[in-house]
């Protein structure tokens, strides 16, 4: 890519491909027990908040011995990075539509970063694909949602052919799922089948249930506190129908549901009792993302279209079409109150929609370098985290109307995911880079001024 400056910054920000034939990808890795890969010892250099105060880069990038200082390299990245476009529509009016947000407030302070575990993003090697096939994939190999936190001490991420658990408290990683070999479901249910060597494209985690999708249409369901996988199957039988997104939600009757959306334009919903296929809805384009409202009634459906759809989650009936984005959409998230929907697009914006008035978007928030591919609201609804494809994660103050203040997390490398802990006290960001990738932890800044009064 045009922004790849590996020779200058030792692979900082360079893309890499996770592919069996790509020997270069495996440089710097050694195989550990159970088939998982771990970084060689000399690369496992963590950074703490105290290190950062003493001048160390939060990702451990040794700027003093490189060809560029940080500010110089940031300017080069912003200039050279080429954001992919599927629809070449004019962006002339977009800047005026975007809210001008002050980038000054720090809601979350850097706590630590580790390279002991790091997300890897599966990329098809473009040069090996036929152009006609690639046009059908529409660059979906750049999907995200590969990082989840079930507490501020429990983080889950995709690393090569494994799903890893990282404990920031113990500073220890362990493998919870290996998909390099054969997977046999423990539940003997209709539609289940064996899978082998799954390349994970997306995942979701809620409570103890983890759901993962694969690049050949696979779906895997596993309880993280139990051995084996509860359910796995191939949804499409079509190797080109990547599972673009999975979601876990509560239906209006309280039952837990799992949805999977694929490049075959179909969204499928399963129960979690017998993993029965409850519904399947077909749309006019490949679906890249779905999310269900907190009450379980509305489903946002986004994909290879500039339009986003609001549908009835049980019938699939279209309720509204959200118009305003200029390219394909890849991310969405609901505010916990169920009134606001955020959507992320390849036009490098996040749009906010009030479901009580869908005539126009509530706000348009600009990115800095590329497509918005990850969106998460904090559990209390105070903050919205918007992750771009690379380098930037924006934290907006939802209580201040989003445009009142913003914290910009400035990193280097592809962003594999951003996730709040359930109590909102921690924000984790995963960067996929061979040398300086890893998991970064930020802690909620609190003001305890009342304690000062105890000493006066």
């Amino acid at each position: 890519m045009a922004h790849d400056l590996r020779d200058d910054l030792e692979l900082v920000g360079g893309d890499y491909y996770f592919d069996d034939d790509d020997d270069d990808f495996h440089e710097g890795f050694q195989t550990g027990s159970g088939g998982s890969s771990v970084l060689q010892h000399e690369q496992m250099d963590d950074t703490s908040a105290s290190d950062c105060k003493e001048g160390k880069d939060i990702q451990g990038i040794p700027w003093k011995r490189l060809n560029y200082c940080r500010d110089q390299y940031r300017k080069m990245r912003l200039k050279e990075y080429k954001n992919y476009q599927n629809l070449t529509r004019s962006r002339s009016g977009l800047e005026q539509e975007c809210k001008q947000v002050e980038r000054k407030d720090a809601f979350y302070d850097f706590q630590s970063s580790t390279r002991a575990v790091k997300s890897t993003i599966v990329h098809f090697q473009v040069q090996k694909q036929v152009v006609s096939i690639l046009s059908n994939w529409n660059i979906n190999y750049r999907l995200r949602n590969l990082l989840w936190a079930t507490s501020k001490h429990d983080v889950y991420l995709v690393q090569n052919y494994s799903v890893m658990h990282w404990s920031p408290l113990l500073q220890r990683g362990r493998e919870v799922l290996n998909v390099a070999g054969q997977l046999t479901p423990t539940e003997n249910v209709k539609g289940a089948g064996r899978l082998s060597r799954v390349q994970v494209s997306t995942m979701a985690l809620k409570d103890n249930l983890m759901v993962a999708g694969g690049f050949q249409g696979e779906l895997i369901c596993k309880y993280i506190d139990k051995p084996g996988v509860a359910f796995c199957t191939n949804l499409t039988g079509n190797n080109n129908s990547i599972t673009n997104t999975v979601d876990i939600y509560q239906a209006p009757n309280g039952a837990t549901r799992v949805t999977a959306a694929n490049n075959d334009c179909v969204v499928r919903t399963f129960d979690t009792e017998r993993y029965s296929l409850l519904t399947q809805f077909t749309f006019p384009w490949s679906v890249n993302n779905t999310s269900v409202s907190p009450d379980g009634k509305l489903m946002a459906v986004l994909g290879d279209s500039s339009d986003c759809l609001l549908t009835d989650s049980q019938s699939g009936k279209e309720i509204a079409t959200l118009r305003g984005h200029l390219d394909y959409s890849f991310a969405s998230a609901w505010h916990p109150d169920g009134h606001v929907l955020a959507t992320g697009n390849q036009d490098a914006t996040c749009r906010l929609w009030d479901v009580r008035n869908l005539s126009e978007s509530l706000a348009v928030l600009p990115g800095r370098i590329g497509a918005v591919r990850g969106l998460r609201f904090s559990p209390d609804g105070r903050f919205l985290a918007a992750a771009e494809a690379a380098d930037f994660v924006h934290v907006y103050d939802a209580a201040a109307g989003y445009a009142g203040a913003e914290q910009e997390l400035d990193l280097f490398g592809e962003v594999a995911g951003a996730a709040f802990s359930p109590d909102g006290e921690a924000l984790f960001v995963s960067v996929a880079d061979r040398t300086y990738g890893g998991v970064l932890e930020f802690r909620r800044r609190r003001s305890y001024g009342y304690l000062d009064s105890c000493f006066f």
Side-chain angles (χ1 to χ4, degrees), residues 108-386:
Y108 286 82
D109 293 320
F110 174 75
Q111 179 74 13
S112 64
S113 67
T114 182
R115 293 188 223 166
V117 292
K118 61 175 66 180
S119 290
T120 47
I121 302 171
V122 185
H123 286 186
F124 286 112
Q125 293 195 29
V126 177
Q127 64 268 28
K128 292 185 178 180
Q129 311 302 337
V130 179
V131 174
S132 61
I133 296 177
L134 182 60
S135 65
N136 291 327
W137 284 340
N138 289 321
I139 218 71
N140 281 347
Y141 59 82
R142 293 188 180 278
L143 297 168
R144 296 297 190 263
N145 285 336
L146 300 174
L147 178 77
W148 293 79
T150 56
S151 81
K152 59 187 175 185
H153 304 309
D154 299 280
V155 182
Y156 295 83
L157 64 151
V158 176
Q159 179 175 297
N160 299 337
Y161 284 103
S162 298
V163 175
M164 302 292 294
H165 169 266
W166 171 250
S167 170
L169 179 66
L170 301 176
Q171 291 290 292
R172 184 184 305 161
R174 63 181 176 88
E175 184 181 73
V176 296
L177 175 64
N178 186 297
V179 292
Q182 189 173 79
L183 298 177
T184 302
T186 58
E187 299 285 341
N188 184 20
V189 298
K190 182 180 178 181
R194 293 182 178 181
L195 299 176
S196 63
R197 203 165 178 77
V198 178
Q199 291 182 316
V200 176
S201 54
T202 186
M203 65 180 289
L205 219 157
K206 186 174 183 179
D207 299 326
N208 283 323
L209 179 60
M210 178 176 67
V211 180
F215 264 79
Q216 295 184 348
E218 301 97 337
L219 177 68
I220 302 168
C221 299
K222 174 184 171 57
Y223 290 95
I224 57 177
D225 59 347
K226 297 179 181 179
V229 297
F231 175 76
C232 59
T233 189
N234 190 298
L235 296 172
T236 69
N238 183 342
N239 288 347
N240 291 338
S241 288
I242 172 180
T243 304
N244 290 326
T245 186
V246 290
D247 189 23
I248 305 169
Y249 71 95
Q250 301 298 123
N253 64 2
T256 301
R257 301 284 187 250
V258 169
T259 62
N262 291 71
N263 249 29
D264 65 354
C265 309
V266 179
V267 176
R268 299 168 175 84
T269 302
F270 297 81
D271 68 40
T272 56
E273 292 295 323
R274 297 292 296 167
Y275 297 99
S276 303
L277 177 62
L278 300 177
T279 62
Q280 57 179 30
F281 306 128
T282 302
F283 294 88
W285 23 258
S286 295
V287 179
N288 297 329
N289 179 267
T290 65
S291 61
V292 175
S293 59
D295 62 7
K297 295 181 179 180
L298 296 175
M299 178 184 290
V301 182
L302 305 83
D304 289 359
S305 170
S306 60
D307 294 340
C308 305
L309 304 181
L310 272 187
T311 68
D312 183 286
S313 64
Q314 298 185 65
S315 68
K317 182 181 178 181
E318 182 179 327
I319 295 172
T321 300
L322 311 181
R323 295 186 171 92
H325 281 302
L326 302 177
D327 211 323
Y328 292 176
S329 295
F330 291 91
S332 66
W334 290 84
H335 189 280
D337 67 11
H339 294 153
V340 174
L341 171 69
T343 57
N345 192 272
Q346 210 158 242
D347 63 11
T349 69
C350 165
R351 285 182 179 262
L352 298 160
W353 312 84
D354 189 329
V355 296
R356 296 162 296 187
N357 179 15
L358 293 170
S359 58
E360 61 180 1
S361 50
L362 178 68
V364 184
L365 305 175
R368 283 262 275 161
I369 202 170
V372 176
R373 296 192 179 267
L375 291 167
R376 301 280 179 87
F377 278 100
S378 60
D380 63 359
R382 172 68 190 276
F383 300 109
L384 170 66

Side-chain angles (χ1 to χ4, degrees), residues 50-65:
S50 59
D51 291 334
C52 188
K53 289 178 181 178
E54 294 176 1
K56 185 177 180 180
D57 181 83
I58 61 174
Q59 292 176 264
I61 302 173
W63 295 105
K64 290 182 179 180
R65 66 178 177 85

